Amino acid sequence: MITLKQLRCFVTVVKTGGFLQASIQLNLTQPTVTKSISNLEEYLGVALFDKPLTHRKKRLVNLTEIGEHLYIQAVDILQKADNLEQTVVDYQQLIGGKLRLGISPLGSEILSKAIFNFYQMHPSIETSLIEDGAESLKQALLEGQLDVATLMKPIDDDFDYSSICCYPVVVVANKNRMGKQKTKVTLKSLSNAPLILFASNSSFTPMIIENCQSLGFEPNIICQTNQWHLLLDMVKQDMGVTLLPQYYTQKLDLTGLVCLPLTQPQLKWELVMAWRRHRLLTPSMRAWLDNIRKNI
């Protein structure tokens, strides 16, 4: 088979005008260069050079007709090989590459700083963002359509992950509904309460529903929405009660509302950055995971 070494010897002999000059440039012995080209000619079954001529004590090399044709192609092949090597170097040094990131609607705000910093540090990495529900993100990871995505614990065995955050779940309601005496709320006590929850395409709402069912009742969900302002406005109007990760009670306008710890059970919202198990992490993925550890 033809090797890049053979082609490089061939092209260098032509460019430098001799076997000795080529051996010096390639840092090889002259017999090594001669043998490499002889093997190439033997494999191809054609002569690449005419019998060397001597001009003023300098041996000159002349290409045969087929040698001239093959020289042009060899130069092109070597250029493509060099480009390939450079692409790998750029990829490893994060000069190129891409990151396909999936984000669930609940928790996307937490990543905003990390996303901005990643773009600032690695502007040449092509970063694409897809926002979708948990099940769709899981499927996209398994099918190789995403590199990493935010998921909520517990995590299936199909994935590896790096933790992002963990917040307790709290009950948010109109102050008049809960009264001034309550300091905490059990999930069972909400069995008849009208619930206004975040849209069910996140894993958060299914977690609430499953825990209600384990206590022997179906939650009375009157509305589900991805719109934070709409959700809180309805709670402020005392249309119902909501459950949120404590993270959001620190970020949203809760004027007129009360936030109480949820007990029995004490539920947690644990967000992670996940990827398909046993997948080889690309340089872009490693850089992203390092970035979120520093910026969240």
Side-chain angles (χ1 to χ4, degrees), residues 177-186 189-190 258-261:
R177 177 181 289 268
M178 288 300 179
K180 299 181 180 180
Q181 303 301 319
K182 285 192 175 182
T183 57
K184 56 186 179 181
V185 180
T186 66
S189 69
L190 299 177
V258 61
C259 300
L260 299 173

Side-chain angles (χ1 to χ4, degrees), residues 20-73:
L20 176 60
Q21 296 92 320
S23 66
I24 294 173
Q25 182 167 317
L26 294 171
N27 197 28
L28 298 171
T29 64
Q30 185 173 342
T32 299
V33 174
T34 302
K35 180 65 174 176
S36 181
I37 292 179
S38 295
N39 290 340
L40 179 60
E41 290 179 320
E42 182 179 350
Y43 180 81
L44 294 172
V46 296
L48 299 174
F49 296 99
D50 285 325
K51 184 177 179 180
L53 301 176
T54 301
H55 179 67
R56 294 182 181 179
K57 297 182 181 181
K58 181 180 179 181
R59 291 172 63 84
L60 304 177
V61 295
N62 293 293
L63 288 169
T64 61
E65 182 177 359
I66 185 62
E68 292 178 354
H69 290 296
L70 295 180
Y71 171 75
I72 295 173
Q73 295 186 49

Side-chain angles (χ1 to χ4, degrees), residues 136-190:
S136 296
L137 294 180
K138 289 179 184 179
Q139 193 62 33
L141 286 174
L142 292 175
E143 294 177 357
Q145 297 171 0
L146 288 175
D147 299 312
V148 288
T150 57
L151 298 178
M152 200 179 88
K153 292 184 73 175
I155 302 298
D156 300 339
D157 292 337
D158 295 321
F159 306 103
D160 287 321
Y161 63 89
S162 176
S163 295
I164 296 177
C165 63
C166 179
Y167 289 93
V169 176
V170 298
V171 178
V172 181
N174 185 286
K175 289 182 178 180
N176 296 326
R177 177 181 289 268
M178 288 300 179
K180 299 181 180 180
Q181 303 301 319
K182 285 192 175 182
T183 57
K184 56 186 179 181
V185 180
T186 66
L187 188 59
K188 184 71 172 180
S189 69
L190 299 177

Side-chain angles (χ1 to χ4, degrees), residues 99-110:
L99 179 72
R100 299 169 299 174
L101 172 61
I103 302 177
S104 57
L106 189 64
S108 58
E109 300 87 346
I110 293 178

Side-chain angles (χ1 to χ4, degrees), residues 243-263:
L243 294 96
L244 296 176
Q246 191 179 53
Y247 168 83
Y248 287 98
T249 67
Q250 302 167 359
K251 300 290 182 180
L252 301 173
D253 179 14
L254 301 181
T255 304
L257 301 176
V258 61
C259 300
L260 299 173
L262 178 69
T263 62

Side-chain angles (χ1 to χ4, degrees), residues 122-137:
H122 308 292
S124 59
I125 293 179
E126 179 186 341
T127 304
S128 58
L129 303 177
I130 296 177
E131 186 177 79
D132 212 333
E135 293 305 316
S136 296
L137 294 180

